[in-house]
Amino acid sequence: MLIDIAQKCLQLIGPESAHDLTLHGLKNTANTPVEWFYRQSLPSKPVSVMGITFPNPVGLAAGLDKDGEAIDAFHSMGFGHIEVGTVTPRPQPGNPKPRLFRIREKNAIINRMGFNNLGVNNLVTNLKAKESTAIVGVNIGKNRDTALENGISDYIQCMREVYKYANYIAVNISSPNTPGLRSLQYGSLLDKLLETLKLVQIELADQTNRYVPLALKIAPDLDKNEIISIAKVVTRHNFDGVIATNTTLRRNDVEGLQHSNESGGLSGGPLLKSANEVLDCLRQSLNPSIPIIAVGGIMSVADAEKKFAIGADLVQIYTGFVYKGPRLIKDIVLSI
Ligand SMILES: Cc1cc2nc3c(=O)[nH]c(=O)nc-3n(C[C@H](O)[C@H](O)[C@H](O)COP(=O)(O)O)c2cc1C
């Protein structure tokens, strides 16, 4: 398959250049005859989660298409949903380069991108231009230079801007590359955030006559008690879903390998075990009616099957897609 060859070539150039080149190519070829090269017709495997009917349960995880530039292209590859973002109210450049590293031996990536994105207004323009029926989740965050105590207002601003154009909204409090962000996962900060966003959701649902579910994205670096506390707050505020997990700060499975000492979040193969432990604990402590979108370390059909067996309602991939290409979507969908 030509797409497999293209994907192997991309492994030969620097990771961020490969990413930019791919996104640029996809953006410019979506809805043109060139789309034929990566289009995959997959059988319909509909699943209803958070009140949305997804054509299949395999989605693209946040961070790959932060500005929503290639939604139609990812849709044509067969993704059942595309999570764009993380988007922040104002554009920001992210951390200095280099900030993206491959650890090939382990099918892993370390990134410290730092929410580089063109801001929420630009994303809305791209969401309005979407031509396909792709189901889109919008992952929202706060600007780096917004003080943590004002962080809630950044989430509210993003939520208000994207509400009309999103199928669901993911509240990202778990990226390791925005200082202090993960502290929103605990205690009164979490309680206040979820309470406020639920009120805004009710107001916007009323205004627009459309209920857009809210999902909370959490880190893998949480102990059992912390996961149980999060589950209680999510249940109490009737949040619509949880996305587990983001990248990890742990390095146990990659020690000694090139780039393993780079700071940032680790994703891919070495994340699978801890992401599954969080998924398991979360599934047991969360109200059974609240769905979980499972992400972290899916490199094969068996990895996805394991997540469904533990209790995932949907799965997402990022690093597996980088190393294995669109074929991984197809293989998982066909196996369900
Ligand atoms: C380069 C890169 C950038 C990412 N950016 C974001 C982001 O902006 N927001 C977010 O919620 N997650 C982000 N993630 C995390 C992924 O969405 C996903 O949760 C994580 O990579 C684990 O899945 P995986 O093992 O399939 O990659 C990023 C991951 C990578 C590798």
Side-chain angles (χ1 to χ4, degrees), residues 19 60-66 83-87 99-101 107-117 139-140 170-177 181 217-218 220 243-248 265-272 275 294-299 307 316-322 328:
H19 171 271
L60 176 66
L64 209 159
D65 190 4
K66 289 183 196 277
E83 192 170 305
V84 298
T86 297
V87 70
R99 53 193 180 177
L100 186 58
F101 308 88
N107 282 334
I109 290 175
I110 291 177
N111 94 82
R112 50 170 179 270
M113 304 301 286
F115 291 169
N116 54 310
N117 78 103
N139 182 306
I140 61 174
V171 179
N172 181 11
I173 50 170
S174 50
S175 284
N177 302 313
L181 192 82
K217 185 161 179 181
I218 64 170
I243 305 174
T245 67
N246 216 308
T247 54
T248 180
L266 174 72
S267 58
L271 174 59
L272 183 69
V295 51
I298 298 178
M299 307 301 302
K307 296 223 190 253
Q316 293 180 337
I317 56 176
Y318 186 135
T319 308
F321 178 71
V322 171
L328 182 58

